[in-house]
Amino acid sequence: MRDIITVTKKEIKAFFGDKAILLQMFLLPFIIVFGYGMLMTSMMNSQKESAEQLDKPVVAYSINAPEEFSDALSALKITPASDNDIEKYKKQVKDKETDLLIVFPDDFKMSEPGADQLSNVDIYYNSEKSNSMELFSKTSAVFTTMQPRTFSYNEDADTDYDLFDSASMVRKMLGGIIPLMVFMAVYLVCMNLAANSIAGDKEKGFLNTLLVTPIKRGNLAAGKSLSILIVAIIASCSAFIGMAVSMPQLAKSMELTEGTQYSIAEYMILFGAVVTGAFVLVALLLIFSTLAKDVKQATTLSPILLFVIMIPSLMSSTEGFSESIEKLGTTNYLIPVWNSVKMIQDVIKIDYTTSNVCTMIAVNIAAAVLGVFIVGTLFKREKIVNG
């Protein structure tokens, strides 16, 4: 145990003695996660500002409109034309200078249901112009309600008939973004350190010196692994803080705060998911580093892990794939790293269970311990290279 602590202290001292590595550990994950969150927030705000700028005043006219239509047309901001030159106004609609033109026939009348002849109202619009198309849809809806009917529907102004859960949509969107950015930030920090810790020592020839020391190879591997795990905890804390700070801002930019407020317990679960998932990532990176001959080979192999994070995270944001993932049930939490991604999504959507949280933590810790054991086994087989 003393040898493990000695090796760990030596590695940690080397990390903390390098200002560049310190910045990577403490600031890079926070900057990536928080920066991406603020970028998304800025994009959302810019889209809203652009939409407001594009929302120009309605320019629309009516010709020969009967008195009973005056209130409805006024509500739509459709004003009576100054003259009856239909062709002039049609040209304006075609040229996108005017949004809409409504022409009532001179002999317009409201007929009873089943009448042989009905008065036709001509509504001219330009589908290339968003304002024109939107106004046409609104006008069509208003005219439909004014037609003779045998029954009515959705007329209670105090009732919200649209049961779409906008809070659920935002939580699902955040669930597809946040885990990806958090683990990518932790991965970027640990990848280089893990690669240099073992493969780097091989490349420099320093590993030969370590292998001939009285320290058992298993203890040497455990010490190096423990040092990178400590780095993973620091990087995870940094990424977690970035996530905790950016999530409310991102939700606010989407004009939704309901359903995106989380308790201390939920933030603790998020932290546990990030840290234990990072442990597994580190164990896998160390295995790659031990198998590799040099740093270049180690860093070439390690990006494979990104697919483990990226693909499931992005797939879960798609309706068809998310349904298939949900059907897996508890199996989701038996897959190392992916279970952390899934748990973060569950907590963001406020749809998690204590048993799944415990399963995730236990599986990830077991996988990390197994990974370190594999690194130790590979160290025992490592040959001393002369020259």
Side-chain angles (χ1 to χ4, degrees):
M1 188 65 185
R2 183 181 297 176
D3 289 342
I4 295 175
I5 294 173
T6 301
V7 174
T8 302
K9 284 182 178 179
K10 175 185 171 298
E11 294 288 320
I12 290 294
K13 186 177 180 181
F15 295 154
F16 278 74
D18 191 322
K19 292 181 180 179
I21 294 177
L22 277 177
L23 289 174
Q24 277 189 334
M25 283 192 293
F26 287 95
L27 291 181
L28 183 61
F30 174 84
I31 291 171
I32 290 175
V33 178
F34 179 75
Y36 188 81
M38 291 300 98
L39 176 62
M40 290 291 294
T41 301
S42 177
M43 288 173 62
M44 291 291 180
N45 290 333
S46 297
Q47 286 179 1
K48 286 191 291 185
E49 290 174 4
S50 299
E52 290 172 359
Q53 292 175 358
L54 292 173
D55 188 18
K56 297 178 181 178
V58 172
V59 180
Y61 302 104
S62 64
I63 295 176
N64 296 332
E67 184 63 30
E68 58 264 37
F69 282 82
S70 60
D71 290 340
L73 295 177
S74 178
L76 293 169
K77 298 181 182 179
I78 300 173
T79 59
S82 57
D83 54 56
N84 291 338
D85 190 344
I86 296 174
E87 293 303 318
K88 180 183 75 173
Y89 292 111
K90 284 174 63 177
K91 186 177 185 305
Q92 289 180 4
V93 172
K94 185 177 182 179
D95 294 339
K96 301 180 184 179
E97 297 172 3
T98 298
D99 296 316
L100 198 79
L101 171 65
I102 302 177
V103 181
F104 290 84
D106 294 331
D107 57 349
F108 176 84
K109 65 178 180 178
M110 297 285 282
S111 302
E112 294 297 324
D116 293 334
Q117 292 185 344
L118 299 175
S119 296
N120 183 66
V121 179
D122 296 321
I123 306 176
Y124 299 97
Y125 65 98
N126 190 328
S127 60
E128 267 193 302
K129 189 177 181 183
S130 58
N131 271 15
S132 179
M133 195 65 194
E134 183 180 351
L135 185 57
F136 172 71
S137 299
K138 290 180 179 178
T139 304
S140 299
V142 170
F143 279 16
T144 299
T145 61
M146 296 179 69
Q147 290 175 330
R149 297 168 294 170
T150 57
F151 63 92
S152 64
Y153 63 92
N154 288 11
E155 287 198 343
D156 187 354
D158 297 325
T159 301
D160 186 4
Y161 295 101
D162 187 355
L163 302 180
F164 169 68
D165 188 356
S166 56
S168 176
M169 180 200 70
V170 172
R171 290 194 297 268
K172 188 173 182 179
M173 186 181 299
L174 292 176
I177 297 171
I178 298 296
L180 178 62
M181 298 312 302
V182 168
F183 283 110
M184 185 176 290
V186 174
Y187 164 84
L188 289 175
V189 172
C190 296
M191 178 189 70
N192 288 325
L193 294 181
N196 281 285
S197 179
I198 300 176
D201 284 353
K202 285 184 187 180
E203 189 175 351
K204 297 171 187 174
F206 183 62
L207 188 62
N208 283 342
T209 304
L210 292 175
L211 292 177
V212 296
T213 60
I215 301 175
K216 291 182 179 179
R217 293 189 178 192
N219 291 341
L220 182 61
K224 282 183 170 290
S225 300
L226 186 57
S227 66
I228 304 297
L229 288 173
I230 292 171
V231 170
I233 293 174
I234 296 171
S236 296
C237 289
S238 178
F240 172 76
I241 294 170
M243 175 178 64
V245 173
S246 62
M247 274 173 57
Q249 297 296 323
L250 187 54
K252 186 178 178 181
S253 72
M254 297 176 181
E255 298 183 342
L256 183 69
T257 55
E258 180 184 356
T260 56
Q261 303 299 318
Y262 303 100
S263 66
I264 294 175
E266 285 160 351
Y267 275 112
M268 289 178 65
I269 295 171
L270 287 172
F271 180 71
V274 173
V275 172
T276 57
F279 283 173
V280 181
L281 274 180
V282 165
L284 292 171
L285 287 170
L286 286 168
I287 291 172
F288 285 157
S289 183
T290 308
L291 291 171
K293 295 179 180 179
D294 50 37
V295 174
K296 183 179 179 181
Q297 192 177 69
T299 53
T300 302
L301 291 171
S302 56
I304 297 172
L305 294 178
L306 283 180
F307 291 99
V308 178
I309 305 168
M310 292 177 64
I311 295 177
S313 184
L314 295 174
M315 282 170 56
S316 64
S317 302
T318 308
E319 191 66 31
F321 285 115
S322 63
E323 291 178 1
S324 300
I325 290 170
E326 292 301 326
K327 288 179 181 178
L328 292 174
T330 308
T331 306
N332 284 304
Y333 308 97
L334 298 176
I335 307 171
V337 183
W338 164 235
N339 55 11
S340 288
V341 174
K342 184 68 171 65
M343 182 53 64
I344 292 174
Q345 292 172 343
D346 289 349
V347 174
I348 289 174
K349 292 186 289 186
I350 315 181
D351 182 22
Y352 63 94
T353 63
T354 304
S355 61
N356 287 339
V357 173
C358 294
T359 300
M360 172 207 69
I361 292 173
V363 167
N364 280 346
I365 291 176
V369 171
L370 177 61
V372 172
F373 175 77
I374 292 172
V375 172
T377 303
L378 292 173
F379 252 73
K380 291 176 182 179
R381 297 177 180 177
E382 195 72 35
K383 295 180 181 180
I384 299 174
V385 180
N386 296 320

